[in-house]
Amino acid sequence: MLQELPFSVDSDARSNHRVRRLGQLSAQRKGWRILHVVVYAGISLAGMLGASAANDKEYVLGPQDKLRVKVYEWRASRDKIFGWDALNDEYTVGPNGSVSLPLVGEIKAAGLTTGEIANSIGDSLMKSTGLARKPNTAVEIVQFRPFYVVGKVTQSGEFAYRPGLTVLQALSIAGGLRTREDRDARFEREVIQGEGDVSLLRLNEASLIARKARLEAELSHASDIQFPAQLTSRIQDDVFAMLLKQERLIFQARSEGLDTQVRALHGLREFLQKELASLEAQLVFLDKQIGSIQKELTAVSALVVKGLAAAPREFSLERALAQAQSERLSAETSLLRGRQEISKTDISILELQDGRKNEVTIDLRQTQAELDALESKTETARRLLYESAVSAPSLLARRTDAELAAPIYTIFRPSADGATVQIQASETSAVEPGDTIKVEIPLAEDETGALDLTSTERHEAPGIELKAETAGDTVGVP
């Protein structure tokens, strides 16, 4: 027994040590479990606080709201928090007012708060996955649906919403009210641009008139261009002088080019005619030679019959006669070919002249069409310049006093049933996501009536002319 005692003592010590160790591990597990619960509760609470921080009152979701969904589940068997990664993402409320989530499908979001849609997601998950209890779900708003500003503002359009926004703040985001200084600068730019457009159209018109005069001179085979008085009267202007000079250079180059080609063809025709004359003379000579050979051959043949001449002499004359006749045939063929080439040359001269005539006729018709179209454009540009220089400033002057009046703000707010509610607002009125703010400035009289200038106003602007008769007319600005 004395020998077993040490063993018993060691066994009890080890058992006590194991018990203490198990107690420590159990305490650590409880501590980790409590820590997990605290962390998870903090995450859920942060999501709920973020969802409710958008406004003091419960914010109701609507289309274009962007949401962040977080779904977590405490699994006691594993002592850990399980995150639903397939669901934890950002979603946008669609035009039909619903949100489509994995494992859940479409869930109605419009008209609900973030807490209500979080409960709806949890209930749907519990039903679709067969969970024993509903997982913890948090929904927060990442981006609110935009608001809109229209009317008498510097920059109308769609803008990002921010919590606590008022009408005055929305107006500042849209650049503020449209001021008279902005319109003054715009009218000045329009006048400058209108003057440039009219000047450019006037120069184009002068260019087309000069081209038309040059084409008419080419068509009539004139030696020089007769420009109309509306161009020659402005010859002191460097631009017009250069324009007329260029047309004369083009006329001279085209005339010289055509004359050179025609002269070349005429030269070829003269050469062919000389060649024909030479061939005709050669035919006369060959005819004489053939006649002489035939006479000699007749005499020699008679002597051969009588036995007074040798037969080889007769054969030699026959060969000479055949050769002369062959040369005459070749000369006749060359003569026919020469006459054919002369006919081709005459046709080429006619085709060249007719081709130039057709080309000039087509260009002349096209130039006239461009002139007709340009006349309409020029008249429109002059009227626009007149309106910018006279009518618009007159309208602006009539609006000056009216602009001192307070602007009128109207909020168009969509309701849950799809209708739009019209609200008369002030600068301190609260703006909600999806609102449309309309800014109006009351006018002293109707805009359309203000554009009708009186005869006195027209008389006070003598520099403006609605219509110009020639390309040299100008459009003045008072």
Side-chain angles (χ1 to χ4, degrees):
M1 292 186 62
L2 292 176
Q3 293 178 353
E4 293 178 356
L5 182 60
F7 174 78
S8 299
V9 173
D10 293 341
S11 177
D12 292 340
R14 291 176 181 176
S15 178
N16 293 334
H17 177 72
R18 186 179 297 109
V19 170
R20 287 195 302 271
R21 181 59 178 169
L22 290 175
Q24 292 176 356
L25 291 175
S26 178
Q28 289 179 356
R29 288 181 179 178
K30 290 181 179 179
W32 281 109
R33 186 179 295 110
I34 294 173
L35 180 60
H36 288 168
V37 172
V38 171
V39 171
Y40 173 69
I43 294 175
S44 300
L45 182 59
M48 294 178 182
L49 290 176
S52 61
N55 207 329
D56 293 338
K57 62 180 181 179
E58 287 291 334
Y59 176 74
V60 177
L61 299 176
Q64 300 187 44
D65 279 333
K66 193 172 184 179
L67 310 176
R68 180 182 290 117
V69 177
K70 296 180 180 179
V71 181
Y72 293 94
E73 179 187 0
W74 166 252
R75 295 187 177 180
S77 60
R78 298 184 181 180
D79 290 337
K80 63 181 295 185
I81 298 175
F82 175 76
W84 292 67
D85 295 335
L87 286 172
N88 295 345
D89 203 348
E90 295 181 355
Y91 304 91
T92 302
V93 181
N96 59 352
S98 61
V99 179
S100 180
L101 286 80
L103 303 177
V104 177
E106 286 196 357
I107 294 182
K108 181 183 177 182
L112 302 179
T113 63
T114 53
E116 291 172 345
I117 192 174
N119 291 331
S120 179
I121 293 173
D123 293 337
S124 299
L125 275 176
M126 187 172 61
K127 293 179 182 179
S128 61
T129 58
L131 296 176
R133 61 178 182 176
K134 182 170 61 176
N136 295 296
T137 306
V139 177
E140 60 179 337
I141 300 176
V142 178
Q143 180 178 336
F144 295 92
R145 55 186 180 273
F147 70 96
Y148 307 88
V149 181
V150 297
K152 303 297 182 179
V153 292
T154 303
Q155 182 182 1
S156 59
E158 174 185 309
F159 303 94
Y161 178 79
R162 62 190 66 173
L165 189 68
T166 63
V167 170
L168 184 60
Q169 292 172 343
L171 185 62
S172 66
I173 294 175
L177 294 174
R178 193 183 304 163
T179 61
R180 179 182 176 184
E181 288 75 12
D182 296 335
R183 288 195 293 272
D184 285 342
R186 179 170 60 85
F187 290 143
E188 185 177 356
R189 288 194 302 269
E190 289 179 355
V191 170
I192 295 174
Q193 183 178 359
E195 290 177 344
D197 292 341
V198 171
S199 298
L200 182 60
L201 291 172
R202 183 166 56 88
L203 183 60
N204 290 340
E205 183 181 7
S207 177
L208 290 174
I209 293 174
R211 186 200 303 174
K212 179 182 178 182
R214 188 251 301 168
L215 293 174
E216 290 175 345
E218 290 183 6
L219 191 62
S220 61
H221 303 288
S223 59
D224 194 10
I225 306 175
Q226 297 297 326
F227 292 107
Q230 62 192 92
L231 297 181
T232 56
S233 61
R234 300 181 63 85
I235 195 66
Q236 293 80 10
D237 191 336
D238 294 339
V239 176
F240 281 81
M242 179 61 67
L243 181 63
L244 301 185
K245 181 180 179 181
Q246 289 177 350
E247 291 297 333
R248 282 197 171 95
L249 290 176
I250 295 174
F251 174 78
Q252 183 178 0
R254 287 172 60 86
S255 298
E256 290 179 354
L258 180 62
D259 292 342
T260 300
Q261 295 180 18
V262 172
R263 282 197 303 269
L265 291 174
H266 280 298
L268 177 60
R269 191 178 190 282
E270 292 177 359
F271 174 77
L272 292 174
Q273 286 178 341
K274 291 180 180 179
E275 186 177 0
L276 289 180
S278 176
L279 289 173
E280 289 174 352
Q282 185 178 358
L283 286 176
V284 173
F285 174 76
L286 288 174
D287 288 339
K288 291 180 179 180
Q289 185 179 4
I290 291 172
S292 176
I293 294 174
Q294 285 178 343
K295 289 180 181 180
E296 185 178 359
L297 179 60
T298 301
V300 171
S301 297
L303 293 175
V304 170
V305 172
K306 295 178 180 181
L308 300 177
R313 174 60 178 166
E314 183 181 11
F315 296 153
S316 176
L317 290 173
E318 289 177 351
R319 285 195 299 270
L321 179 61
Q323 183 177 359
Q325 290 175 345
S326 176
E327 291 178 357
R328 188 183 188 285
L329 183 60
S330 297
E332 286 182 348
T333 303
S334 299
L335 183 63
L336 293 175
R337 289 178 179 174
R339 290 173 180 172
Q340 185 179 9
E341 291 297 327
I342 289 178
S343 299
K344 289 182 179 180
T345 303
D346 293 338
I347 293 174
S348 297
I349 293 174
L350 292 176
E351 288 179 348
L352 184 62
Q353 293 175 344
D354 291 342
R356 175 58 62 86
K357 183 178 180 180
N358 292 335
E359 178 187 351
V360 171
T361 302
I362 293 174
D363 290 345
L364 187 60
R365 184 168 58 249
Q366 183 178 358
T367 301
Q368 185 61 48
E370 292 179 4
L371 272 172
D372 295 339
L374 189 63
E375 181 180 359
S376 176
K377 292 181 180 179
T378 304
E379 181 66 18
T380 302
R382 287 192 177 100
R383 289 186 177 275
L384 290 176
L385 177 58
Y386 177 84
E387 181 179 347
S388 299
V390 177
S391 301
S394 177
L395 173 61
L396 183 62
R398 294 185 179 188
R399 289 180 174 178
T400 302
D401 296 336
E403 289 184 353
L404 299 177
I408 300 174
Y409 304 105
T410 306
I411 296 178
F412 296 88
R413 180 168 298 164
S415 59
D417 57 358
T420 301
V421 180
Q422 184 174 342
I423 304 172
Q424 296 298 326
S426 63
E427 294 180 348
T428 58
S429 298
V431 179
E432 296 183 2
D435 285 353
T436 299
I437 305 172
K438 183 178 181 181
V439 182
E440 297 176 294
I441 298 178
L443 296 177
E445 61 179 294
D446 184 72
E447 294 184 13
T448 305
L451 282 174
D452 296 331
L453 298 181
T454 62
S455 58
T456 304
E457 291 171 330
R458 293 181 183 272
H459 182 69
E460 291 175 353
I464 300 297
E465 298 178 5
L466 283 180
K467 187 174 182 180
E469 298 297 334
T470 65
D473 292 341
T474 59
V475 178
V477 179

